[in-house]
Amino acid sequence: MSLRTLRSLVAVAVATAVATTALVGPPVTAHEARQGGPRHHAPTLRQAAPPGFVIGSAVAGGGHHVDQPYPDPFPNDRVYRHLLGKEFSSVSPENQMKWEFIHPERDTYRFGPADAIVRFARQHHQVVRGHTLLWHNQNPSWLTEGDFTATELRQILRDHVFTVVGHYRGRIQQWDVANEMLDGSGQLRTTDNLWLRELGPGIIADVFRWAHRADPHAQLFFNDYGVEGVNAKSDGYLSLISDLLADGVPVDGFSVQGHLSTRYGFPDDLAANLQRFADLGLETAVTEVDVRMDLPGGAEPTGAQLAQQADYYQRMLEGCLAVDTCRSFTVWGFTDKYSWVPVFFPDEGAATIMTGDFERKPAYYALRSTLADAT
Ligand code: G3I
């Protein structure tokens, strides 16, 4: 054999070995396959999560973003999109499915931005939480300032529910059908909620029934803030939902938003509270977690603040994981770059699990290790 032939044979053998390794790689376990591939690095949040448990984020856009000096986040920020797809297995449109956004004129629906999120979710094997159908806030002015009779309003609402829920039929895992129905003392918001004021409390049952007809497989939720623990407001939900279930209304779930502040104590009875809704046969979920802190004059968070924040995130997640029917845990944005918090609360902020430069904070690692421990 000539030296030239030998060299060629060696080259082919090396190339074949490299190609084989590249194609085959290390063995893929069943768990890795479910999570989307082998792991060579530290797992992402979604990879660390137990089977059947989804970890989500709100998808930034609309609302407060409109007035900020940056382009629309979800379509334009590549790093953001990359992390959203990689870290999370559930997404919630932050504003893009709300009335003012998706139904800006009486005869106009604008589905494009929410469609893009649903498409993204499909491409990234994520589920979607729909948000929201019946709320006192972010309703368009044609609706709030229109001089409609009760019959017209009811028809408008019915059309909206059938149109929007029908548009996403089969694509939404959980719908926040009714958002923030009760006030702090557990009474229905009959003053500031247009629907309850004009149409009476019976409209809640109607909307759940319409949504169920429009998408029989979506899980239909009540969602609110300030109901993480056992209190007058969560008591109000327990009684409201029990009555609706007794009447055969298709309510599937109760979710707590989880907007917390290090100023206040942690709601230690979260698991006990969720459990009493689970005992009604309901799905439960944690849907909008963030933990804001005091940053006077734009101060940087201290190590102690970040540690306390991590502890709150971790305990929220542990509370959910402790309840069998709590299988969905969502943060209200994952980067401080786009958080709603500083816009609403001057001198507070840093509420999410990553900095504005997408650096992971202690809260991120606390969530990941809690998920891994539960797996
Ligand atoms: O409607 C006014 C408009 O008239 C005014 O010209 C403009 C000037 O800034 O503000 C408009 O209001 C904005 C609103 O979205 C409606 O688009 C607010 O500034 C803006 O801060 C607001 O932000 C959204 C907020 O919901 C509205 O309540 C946030 O982006 C969104 O993150 C936040 O999300 C809610 C959940 O849906 C429900 N749970 C609480 C959570 C945090 O508030």
Side-chain angles (χ1 to χ4, degrees):
M1 193 184 299
S2 73
L3 189 58
R4 201 169 158 195
T5 313
L6 184 63
R7 271 205 198 118
S8 304
L9 282 175
V10 169
V12 168
V14 169
T16 306
V18 169
T20 307
T21 310
L23 278 177
V24 177
V28 179
T29 65
H31 176 73
E32 287 168 346
R34 190 176 57 244
Q35 304 293 341
R39 285 195 216 143
H40 302 293
H41 305 292
T44 63
L45 294 175
R46 68 185 291 182
Q47 287 173 329
F53 189 89
V54 296
I55 178 109
S57 174
V59 179
H64 71 280
H65 303 285
V66 172
D67 292 332
Q68 301 301 307
Y70 49 67
D72 193 9
F74 173 69
N76 293 297
D77 188 332
R78 293 184 63 193
V79 178
Y80 177 85
R81 288 172 71 86
H82 173 71
L83 289 169
L84 182 69
K86 190 171 104 159
E87 293 284 351
F88 300 98
S89 47
S90 175
V91 287
S92 305
E94 183 177 359
N95 293 290
Q96 300 90 334
M97 284 186 186
K98 292 174 180 173
W99 268 80
E100 70 170 6
F101 207 88
I102 208 164
H103 197 166
E105 303 295 338
R106 186 168 181 184
D107 299 317
T108 307
Y109 286 90
R110 181 177 49 173
F111 287 117
D115 284 357
I117 295 171
V118 172
R119 220 168 25 244
F120 179 93
R122 230 178 201 201
Q123 286 159 356
H124 293 84
H125 309 289
Q126 296 166 318
V127 295
V128 182
R129 296 197 83 262
H131 179 79
T132 174
L133 302 169
L134 193 68
W135 193 24
H136 63 274
N137 203 356
Q138 287 184 271
N139 290 316
S141 53
W142 68 263
L143 177 68
T144 53
E145 288 159 25
D147 195 15
F148 299 113
T149 65
T151 311
E152 286 169 331
L153 264 185
R154 190 181 144 81
Q155 191 59 40
I156 288 169
L157 179 56
R158 187 181 186 284
D159 287 347
H160 178 92
V161 171
F162 274 99
T163 305
V164 175
V165 179
H167 184 82
Y168 294 111
R169 185 184 174 105
R171 307 280 179 95
I172 303 287
Q173 184 203 28
Q174 301 182 340
W175 259 112
D176 289 333
V177 170
N179 195 41
E180 303 172 4
M181 288 292 105
L182 303 187
D183 64 21
S185 56
Q187 303 300 309
L188 284 168
R189 287 177 178 256
T190 42
T191 315
D192 62 356
N193 186 307
L194 161 83
W195 309 110
L196 297 176
R197 188 179 64 232
E198 303 299 326
L199 302 176
I203 195 62
I204 298 176
D206 289 337
V207 174
F208 274 90
R209 289 194 170 104
W210 294 333
H212 181 64
R213 280 172 54 198
D215 187 351
H217 296 297
Q219 297 168 348
L220 307 181
F221 273 70
F222 278 93
N223 183 54
D224 211 328
Y225 64 87
V227 289
E228 290 73 24
V230 175
N231 55 33
K233 196 170 177 182
S234 56
D235 285 351
Y237 274 106
L238 198 66
S239 135
L240 172 65
I241 299 175
S242 301
D243 291 349
L244 291 169
L245 291 175
D247 287 344
V249 179
V251 179
D252 300 302
F254 172 74
S255 50
V256 304
Q257 294 180 2
H259 294 290
L260 303 183
S261 160
T262 57
R263 267 187 203 183
Y264 310 113
F266 184 84
D268 282 316
D269 48 0
L270 169 66
N273 183 41
L274 291 177
Q275 187 60 51
R276 59 192 189 141
F277 290 90
D279 291 343
L280 294 180
L282 296 174
E283 282 293 309
T284 53
V286 178
T287 54
E288 304 184 15
V289 185
D290 48 25
V291 182
R292 59 188 187 273
M293 57 185 74
D294 287 298
L295 298 172
E300 287 296 311
T302 64
Q305 282 178 306
L306 292 173
Q308 189 185 356
Q309 179 184 57
D311 179 60
Y312 277 30
Y313 268 98
Q314 175 167 344
R315 286 201 270 165
M316 282 302 278
L317 179 56
E318 285 170 345
C320 178
L321 286 164
V323 177
D324 276 353
T325 73
C326 192
R327 298 177 256 243
S328 172
F329 181 93
T330 291
V331 294
W332 206 241
F334 64 89
T335 165
D336 291 341
K337 188 173 182 182
Y338 297 130
S339 170
W340 70 290
V341 167
V343 180
F344 276 70
F345 301 96
D347 292 333
E348 292 181 68
T352 77
I353 58 175
M354 292 187 198
T355 66
D357 293 330
F358 301 107
E359 277 167 30
R360 291 162 173 82
K361 297 188 202 170
Y364 171 91
Y365 295 107
L367 289 186
R368 196 175 69 185
S369 60
T370 304
L371 290 167
D373 288 350
T375 300

